Amino acid sequence: MSITRIGDALDARADITPTERLILVQLARLADNDGMAFTSVGNLAQRANVSPSTVTRSVRRLAGLHLIQRIRNRNVAGVFSAYRVTLDSDGTEDGPA
């Protein structure tokens, strides 16, 4: 967890909804030092007290704004998702990677 990354998520561009910001903060909270958050849509839905479809829509929008990147990998149990939080230290996005 990075307190700086959580602060950056709270200060991220103002044109995201409160739910999108909450998902972004949850991802920042779960992120390691490299900005990688290894979690599932179900886990994010539970943490944010929203439906999985709301998380999916929010993640899709945050990725479209280049605030996160979604990385899908197959593992032995099926599909495993990771999210890279791409905020820099001043609360703006890094841009496409």
Side-chain angles (χ1 to χ4, degrees):
M1 171 176 58
S2 166
I3 298 299
T4 301
R5 202 173 302 278
I6 292 170
D8 291 346
L10 288 168
D11 293 337
R13 57 174 69 218
D15 60 344
I16 61 176
T17 68
T19 300
E20 291 163 349
R21 188 172 312 281
L22 178 58
I23 299 301
L24 184 59
V25 167
Q26 288 297 330
L27 287 169
R29 182 174 171 252
L30 295 169
D32 62 16
N33 290 335
D34 294 326
M36 294 298 296
F38 298 94
T39 190
S40 67
V41 167
N43 184 35
L44 286 171
Q46 183 178 21
R47 287 174 177 272
N49 197 28
V50 297
S51 70
S53 61
T54 297
V55 171
T56 300
R57 278 191 305 274
S58 296
V59 163
R60 198 174 297 137
R61 180 128 192 281
L62 293 169
L65 294 170
H66 306 291
L67 296 172
I68 64 169
Q69 293 174 319
R70 185 170 185 183
I71 302 157
R72 291 184 179 175
N73 297 312
R74 281 218 183 268
N75 66 3
V76 292
V79 177
F80 178 79
S81 290
Y83 304 89
R84 181 172 179 265
V85 180
T86 56
L87 296 167
D88 65 23
S89 62
D90 68 0
T92 61
E93 84 263 18
D94 288 340

